[in-house]
Amino acid sequence: MTKGLPETLEFSQRPRRGILTPHIRMLYVYSFLVVAGFLFYLSQGFWTTYSTARLPPHATVSLARCRSLHAKPGPSRDFHKRSYSDRFVEGTKPTLIKNARIWTGDANGTEVVNADILLDKGIIKGIGRVGHAHLKMLRDDLVVLDAKNAWITPGIVDLHSHIGDSPLPDLNGAQDDNSLLGPIQPWLRALDGLNTHDDSYLLSIAGGVTTALVLPGSANAIGGQGFTVKLRSTPERSPSSMLLEPPYQINSSFLEEAERPRWRQMKHACGENPNGVYGYTRMDTVWAFRQAYNKAREIKDGQDQYCNDVLDGDWAKLTKEPFPEDLQWEAMVDILRGRVKVQVHCYEAVDLDDFVRLSQEFQFPVAAFHHAHEAYLVPDVLKKAYEHPPAVAMFAAVARYKREAYRGSVFAPRVLAQHGLPVVMKSDSSAAFHSRDLLFEAQQAHFYGLPENLAIAAVTSTPAEVMGMGHRVGYIKEGWDADLVIWDSHPLALGATPIQVFIDGIPQLSSPHVVEKPKAFQVSPKVPNFDKEAKDTVNYEGLPPLEPEEAAHDAVVFTGVKSVYARTNDSVDEVFLAEDANSYGIVVVEKGIMKCFGSSSQCGMDLSESSATIVDLNGGALSPGLVTYGAPIGLEEINEEPSTRDGAVPDPLYQPVPKIVGGDGALIRASDGLQFGGRDSLTTFSTAARNKLSEGAVIQDVNALHVSVRHFGSPSVSTQIGTLRHLLLHPDDSHAGKWFKNVAEGEETLVVEADSADVIATLVSLKKEVEKQYRSKVKLTISGGIEAYLLAKDLAHADVGVIQVPARPFPAVWEQRRISPGPPLTEQSSILTLLEHNVTVGVGITENWAAQNTRFDVGWIAIEAGGRLSKGQALALASTNLEKLLGGKVKAQSAHDLVATRGGELLDFESKVVAVISPRRGVVDLM
């Protein structure tokens, strides 16, 4: 038994060498373990480095892939401390914008500051009062702009665009937005078809749009990868140089070891589009989705197992087996890894529910549902999506063009916002919808109840966040990209137009044309209250009753009337205007006929004793009812559903027209195919009529003879005009011949659909030729007329009128490419040019849903005129002028409706239509 050692030892008592006490042994063991562990750590690091250096190239790549497998996209922590942007263009001068009213995007879109903004090296360097020392350093190159208290917002961000892939003008050689080779194609990339010469870019910039997410089309269930671009031109002139934070995969096919991946985008589509292209049912489409995601999941699981083994030290597997991957499916795998923003074209509740379940089954988040016309009816379904509720990217008023859009509502944005879902307004920029007017979508959403802060955010900060670029665009904050817009009025005021647009600190408008706006346009419009209508829309699942209620009494008195506009011959004049709220007048209506307007005493009314129905307009107005033209309103209910349409009209140049008794060729009357009670109905027949036999339903059965001269297909334009010449100069005794003879003799109006200035010039020459033979005055109207302004002087001299369709032109097709878009690109629009030359002008629409915005179209024209066009003249563009140009012959005041608006006049954002006064039917309809 060993004895214990004494507590202290004298030197002479030290144990002999080789004899270790328990304490010493423990100390040695501990020291050895520490040193051994340290040496092992070093050896492992050395061996890893040494081994990696000796690995074959494919193994090195595989190891890098495994190490970055779980990296998530996003900016670095110090991103906003950068000194310059990766998109900075050398030679760009710094800019100081002074005295600005800035909507920053912060505080949920409620922060507005009055300050200066310094832009330098492609980023926002400062907001506030920039220091003297900093300015002194930049003095030689600094450009100083005085905003004069103008509104400044971040550049508009378009979350759903086909710009560059769907060409403008529409040309077959540049159609690259859809592949029709299969319903599942995640390997396709919108970047590969991006056309840098498209006419859309400058037009979109002129509307304040600076950034767009370019997506493949919606023909396929999985259409391919989208890319975020800045719209400015670049010195390189390439599609790649337009990209904002391009994913690394565009050059290396697969993500290798990097600091952080960048967000990718993927387009999906549900419902009618892929079903129609491939003959699918919804069941087929969802199964195609599930197959694709299952394939991606199998690859992902294989990658995870491989990397677990390799990182656990299985170097044999690393050297012998490559990283498991598939070029066609790698983007789908990235979806499951949370690296892709999934953008889903999806309309109906059934499709939304299907896709939410898909996201749960395969565990991937959905960035946004696009179009989503029924999303507002099922907000709780959206909240069940995997990881977080998606945003909803939608139109403000575009609906009912196909069955899955039939329940769309103007109140959808406000309803979704009330449920806490992110709201995005989008353009779908293509030949059908153009992003130049994307801000107008936000303005409409605000008009129908979306709060001001969320309406502006819906085209700036919200889409920026949804596409994963909120750290760069969508806000005005120090360190963000220098993308912003200086506006001539409040961004939500009708007609708001850029004074200047900056992208990466570079001004985009070389010589902007600016219209001075009244002070009233510098504040957000006080929009009407639509609470009841929004509630009813949800309660009736998107189809609330639209029929008006007839006033209970024959006599109706409108009080609080600020102004009255009435027809006088072929014009519209302001016949009453109150100086202020204290002098608001009344309008007395009996059996649908306006009997008096003015003060109560002037009309001999004692309102306290009157038995009439009293309607307070609260500073509102009475105006002529508007007319719509151009879209088949009343001839179809759902454009893409044949059973709801009047049907195709045969073209005698392509096919025989059905024969009637006697063998005469039949001219078709549109009034024979009228459908009443439709949700879009607003035309020259009464919207409140139940059917064609209702009293006053049809004002004039036949208005004009309509033909079209277009460049589409065959026969040639020269053949079309040659045929028209023959019909006018040599009419036969057929039914059609009699009509063309009436036109030639000046008894009926000829409306020719044409846009090309060259075609219109030929038609003017033909008119003169006919007039010379018949010694008559031919009534010729050009419909479409996008390039007609180029011949304004000649049209005025020849007495040819123009119905421009649409009111705000854009070059959808080649024969419309020479447009005059108006401010800020041109001093005035094509319509104002025509009016300036005394050409009679009307405005039309291209699709049924646009009819409800006719009053805003006309109001916008009046605003751009800058005081050169009275409100009466503006109203005439969609009333008396249009009727005259279409051959209207009913002149009596008793034949035309009046519209009463509350809170403002018909052409502004502050008014709400509350009544229609119908002399023909002898009633007042209350809305």
Side-chain angles (χ1 to χ4, degrees), residues 59 63 69 112 148 202 286 292 326 334 338 363 366 369 376 448 556 568 614 658 663 746 765 769 867 869 873 881 896:
L63 186 60
L69 202 61
V112 175
K148 300 178 181 179
L202 182 57
V286 173
D326 187 319
D334 258 5
Q363 298 190 339
V366 179
F369 284 117
Y376 74 102
Y448 289 109
V556 178
T568 55
I614 307 297
S765 297
E769 188 178 347
L869 195 67
Q873 290 171 319
N881 283 14
H896 300 287

Side-chain angles (χ1 to χ4, degrees), residues 162-379:
H162 302 293
I163 194 168
D165 278 6
S166 179
L168 197 68
D170 188 3
L171 295 169
N172 292 337
Q175 280 289 359
D176 284 299
D177 59 334
N178 277 304
S179 168
L180 303 181
L181 298 182
I184 304 294
Q185 300 192 74
W187 45 85
L188 300 183
R189 306 185 299 186
L191 172 65
D192 296 331
L194 193 67
N195 174 18
T196 59
H197 303 295
D198 200 276
D199 288 352
S200 297
Y201 297 117
L202 182 57
L203 285 171
S204 296
I205 290 170
V209 182
T210 58
T211 304
L213 174 56
V214 181
L215 296 167
S218 53
N220 302 319
I222 301 180
Q225 302 164 45
F227 289 83
T228 304
V229 301
K230 296 280 192 85
L231 300 190
R232 69 170 175 84
S233 60
T234 67
E236 188 179 296
R237 301 175 183 171
S238 69
S240 296
S241 64
M242 299 175 68
L243 296 177
L244 178 62
E245 292 200 355
Y248 297 113
Q249 289 87 342
I250 67 168
N251 291 322
S252 60
S253 295
F254 299 107
L255 177 65
E256 297 184 8
E257 192 169 14
E259 181 181 356
R260 261 187 154 177
R262 292 170 172 174
W263 281 112
R264 308 176 72 182
Q265 312 286 337
M266 183 68 74
K267 175 69 178 294
H268 288 30
C270 314
E272 292 185 27
N273 281 27
N275 291 1
V277 172
Y278 296 102
Y280 276 17
T281 65
R282 282 178 166 80
M283 294 182 290
D284 296 317
T285 300
V286 173
W287 175 240
F289 277 132
R290 295 182 69 209
Q291 281 184 308
Y293 274 99
N294 188 60
K295 173 71 171 178
R297 182 167 59 185
E298 290 174 349
I299 296 172
K300 175 182 177 293
D301 290 346
Q303 292 175 351
D304 291 343
Q305 184 60 57
Y306 176 90
C307 289
N308 287 339
D309 293 342
V310 165
L311 296 177
D312 282 344
D314 190 343
W315 297 99
K317 173 176 280 192
L318 180 63
T319 56
K320 294 180 180 179
E321 299 179 24
F323 182 82
E325 56 196 359
D326 187 319
L327 180 60
Q328 285 190 303
W329 297 99
E330 57 87 20
M332 291 290 291
V333 175
D334 258 5
I335 292 177
L336 300 182
R337 296 202 182 281
R339 295 171 170 176
V340 181
K341 297 287 188 177
V342 179
Q343 312 287 349
V344 189
H345 161 119
C346 223
Y347 283 76
E348 293 189 83
V350 59
D351 299 316
L352 296 167
D353 186 61
D354 286 344
F355 208 88
V356 165
R357 283 188 282 104
L358 186 75
S359 78
Q360 293 168 338
E361 180 181 1
F362 292 95
Q363 298 190 339
F364 65 91
V366 179
F369 284 117
H370 294 239
H371 303 302
H373 281 62
E374 291 188 14
Y376 74 102
L377 297 175
V378 290

Side-chain angles (χ1 to χ4, degrees), residues 73-92:
S76 61
R77 291 183 179 180
D78 60 350
F79 180 80
H80 295 119
K81 296 179 181 179
R82 57 189 174 144
S83 59
Y84 63 93
S85 168
D86 56 332
R87 293 184 50 79
F88 171 61
V89 176
E90 289 291 341
T92 302

